[in-house]
């Protein structure tokens, strides 16, 4: 394989993956919709010269066909993610878009030799826990009535005792958000069609990806962007629940390495891999890191609000991918530092948090606990 299509290649993970492919000698074509809330100024300037750029929508047959012409490998990263209740859009973009890729490869007899798809840690839902009495359990989402009482920890579905969080391995999935369901649907579709029609396929379950180029225009692009913009505007980063939720964060360059490794390594075929960070970090610890690295003396705000549908603790194990020779090399402190330096150099550093917060409240996504 020498001619690779990267969908969503103008974006955060996509552009870093394009950089790594170009450095490895691949010919690269990008298909990207240039969604306005992510790319309001069109094609970003950080894309390398010599890369072919095509604007298009992965829901459109004609756009896929044009982009797939002469391609022998695909890294499919184009996706839709949001906190708002536009449920059908997740499936139209994430599931139908991936399904259409396989439909066209088969119907048009295209010489695509491998597909690497972006999945997500979200396919695990609330994750993996241990109960002292009932052993390992995979609980459903925490009920809203529990969260409204400010009872944050996950409880055993059998005895209601508080559970011990465990690192998430690839063996069991339990998605409960529209985004997670759409990503797992794409996994099931890609593996089923890939095996049936001999199209080697890999699904990459990314943890929370961080680093430069994470769009600060997009109100829903994650904790690093929100906290950094708040701190740079002299405002406290806002932690939901009690700030003690655990997450693992992985550097975008390490994710790009994982994408190209799984494209090239046949041992990855027809497997799903966690692309995990080095350790679990609480949201409050993350906020404190951002303020310290930014050189500001601002105490994070624990607001007492919660986002309905959030998980409590999600920390993935990257052991399976590490068996192929991959490692998360860049520590969280360096990742945050690089992002803050990158964002300082960007124009129009507006604080988008307030409008995003208002929109989530209006949609009843952001709620306040009574306790």
């Amino acid at each position: 394989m020498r001619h690779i299509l990267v969908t969503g290649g103008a974006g955060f993970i996509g552009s870093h993956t394009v950089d790594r492919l170009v450095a490895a000698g691949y010919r690269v074509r990008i298909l990207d919709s240039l969604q306005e809330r992510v790319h309001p100024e069109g094609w970003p300037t950080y894309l390398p010269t010599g890369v072919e750029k095509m604007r298009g929508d992965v829901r459109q047959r004609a756009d896929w066909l044009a982009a797939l012409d002469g391609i022998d490998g695909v890294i499919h990263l184009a996706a839709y993610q949001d906190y708002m209740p536009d449920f059908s859009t997740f499936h139209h973009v994430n599931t139908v878009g991936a399904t259409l890729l396989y439909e066209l490869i088969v119907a048009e007899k295209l010489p695509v030799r491998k597909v690497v798809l972006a999945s997500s840690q979200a396919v695990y839902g609330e994750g993996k826990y241990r109960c002292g009495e009932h052993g390992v359990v995979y609980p459903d989402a925490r009920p809203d009535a529990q969260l409204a009482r400010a009872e944050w920890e996950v409880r055993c579905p059998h005895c209601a005792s508080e559970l011990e969080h465990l690192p998430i391995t690839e063996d069991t999935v339990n998605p409960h958000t529209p985004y997670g369901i759409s990503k797992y649907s794409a996994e099931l579709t890609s593996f089923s069609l890939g095996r049936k029609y001999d199209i080697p396929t890999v699904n990459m379950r990314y943890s929370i990806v961080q680093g430069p180029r994470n769009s600060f225009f997009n109100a829903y692009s994650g904790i690093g962007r929100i906290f950094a913009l708040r701190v740079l505007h002299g405002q406290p980063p806002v932690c939901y629940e009690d700030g003690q939720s655990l997450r693992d964060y992985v550097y975008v360059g390490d994710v790009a390495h994982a994408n190209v490794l799984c494209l090239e390594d046949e041992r990855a075929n027809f497997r799903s891999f966690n692309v995990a960070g080095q350790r679990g970090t609480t949201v409050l610890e993350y906020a404190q890191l951002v303020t310290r690295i930014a050189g500001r003396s601002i105490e994070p705000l624990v607001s007492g609000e919660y986002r309905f549908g959030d998980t409590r603790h999600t920390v993935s194990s990257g052991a399976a991918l590490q068996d192929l020779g991959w490692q998360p090399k860049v520590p969280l402190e360096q990742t945050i530092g690089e992002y803050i330096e990158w964002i300082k150099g960007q124009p129009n550093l507006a604080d988008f948090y307030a409008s995003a917060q208002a929109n989530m409240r209006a949609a009843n996504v952001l709620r306040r606990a009574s306790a």
Side-chain angles (χ1 to χ4, degrees):
M1 295 179 293
R2 299 313 304 170
H3 199 178
I4 308 301
L5 172 67
V6 181
T7 69
F12 176 40
I13 298 173
S15 66
H16 285 274
T17 301
V18 167
D19 286 348
R20 193 164 188 107
L21 288 166
V22 169
Y26 289 95
R27 295 170 57 205
V28 179
R29 177 182 297 154
I30 293 171
L31 175 67
D32 201 295
S33 67
L34 298 180
Q35 187 183 67
E36 186 175 0
R37 73 175 190 184
V38 181
H39 302 290
E41 298 171 354
W43 290 104
T45 59
Y46 49 65
L47 293 172
T49 58
V51 170
E52 185 181 358
K53 296 176 287 190
M54 298 181 66
R55 185 168 186 172
D57 189 325
V58 295
R59 294 170 291 183
Q60 300 299 321
R61 185 183 187 93
D63 292 347
W64 264 123
L65 278 174
L68 288 166
D69 183 38
I71 293 294
D72 50 17
V74 178
I75 299 181
H76 179 38
L77 304 176
Y80 180 77
Q81 184 176 13
D82 206 329
Y83 296 123
M84 305 302 282
D86 42 358
F87 305 141
S88 62
T89 307
F90 293 100
H91 291 273
H92 288 157
V93 177
N94 301 342
T95 307
V96 175
T99 305
L100 185 54
L101 166 62
Y102 285 85
E103 178 180 317
L104 293 173
I105 292 172
V106 173
E108 303 296 327
K109 298 180 175 58
L110 301 178
V112 174
R113 294 165 54 191
K114 192 163 186 176
V115 178
V116 176
L117 292 97
S119 186
S120 170
Q121 190 182 57
V123 303
Y124 297 118
E126 196 61 64
K128 184 177 182 179
Y129 289 80
R130 179 186 290 117
C131 173
E133 182 178 353
H134 296 98
V136 174
V137 294
Y138 297 87
D140 290 330
R142 295 168 295 169
D144 186 53
Q146 173 189 331
L147 298 174
R149 297 190 298 268
E151 297 173 6
W152 308 123
E153 294 300 335
V154 181
R155 297 186 176 277
C156 177
H158 308 294
C159 66
S161 62
E162 287 191 7
L163 297 172
E164 173 195 1
H165 175 261
L166 299 175
I168 302 169
T169 50
E170 288 90 347
D171 49 296
T172 302
V173 297
N174 186 28
H176 64 75
T177 63
Y179 176 68
I181 293 166
S182 71
K183 282 296 189 179
Y184 189 52
S185 298
E187 284 195 27
L188 292 173
T189 299
S190 66
F191 281 156
S192 177
L193 296 176
R195 288 190 181 97
K196 184 172 183 178
Y197 294 101
D198 193 26
I199 307 165
T201 297
V202 191
N203 277 281
M204 313 296 285
R205 295 173 179 170
Y206 306 128
S207 292
I208 300 177
V209 186
Q210 303 281 277
R213 305 180 191 167
N214 193 0
S215 174
F216 58 87
F217 295 111
N218 183 1
Y220 307 98
S221 62
I223 187 172
R225 171 211 164 277
I226 296 169
F227 283 6
L229 281 176
R230 293 279 294 179
V231 168
L232 292 175
H233 282 85
Q235 299 172 334
V238 179
C239 304
Y240 297 134
E241 301 187 12
D242 59 356
Q244 297 303 311
S245 295
L246 280 167
R247 301 287 187 268
D248 69 294
Y249 304 95
V250 59
Y251 180 64
V252 65
D254 290 334
V255 170
H257 176 205
N259 290 338
V260 177
L261 171 67
C262 288
L263 177 73
E264 296 174 337
D265 195 327
E266 293 185 359
R267 295 175 297 171
N269 292 358
F270 300 113
R271 297 176 64 185
S272 294
F273 291 98
N274 291 339
V275 188
Q278 295 178 338
R279 69 180 192 276
T281 303
T282 69
V283 173
L284 184 57
E285 288 171 336
Y286 191 108
Q288 292 165 340
L289 279 173
V290 170
T291 58
R292 177 174 62 81
I293 293 168
R296 305 296 176 92
S297 297
I298 304 173
E299 285 297 318
L301 173 64
V302 179
S303 69
E305 293 180 301
Y306 62 94
R307 280 191 310 224
F308 182 59
D310 268 1
T311 57
R312 178 58 174 171
H313 304 303
T314 47
V315 178
S316 292
S317 166
L321 190 55
Q322 289 169 24
D323 287 342
L324 299 186
W326 177 85
Q327 290 285 341
K329 294 181 178 179
V330 179
L332 182 57
E333 293 81 359
Q334 179 181 336
T335 300
I336 293 172
E338 287 189 19
Y339 184 64
I340 289 174
E341 287 306 307
W342 178 78
I343 204 171
K344 282 180 179 177
Q346 306 306 307
N348 185 30
L349 286 184
D351 179 13
F352 299 99
Y353 174 77
S355 60
Q357 189 181 47
N359 290 338
M360 287 192 290
R361 283 203 186 101
N364 201 29
V365 172
L366 189 60
R367 306 176 182 185
R368 179 169 292 280
S370 59

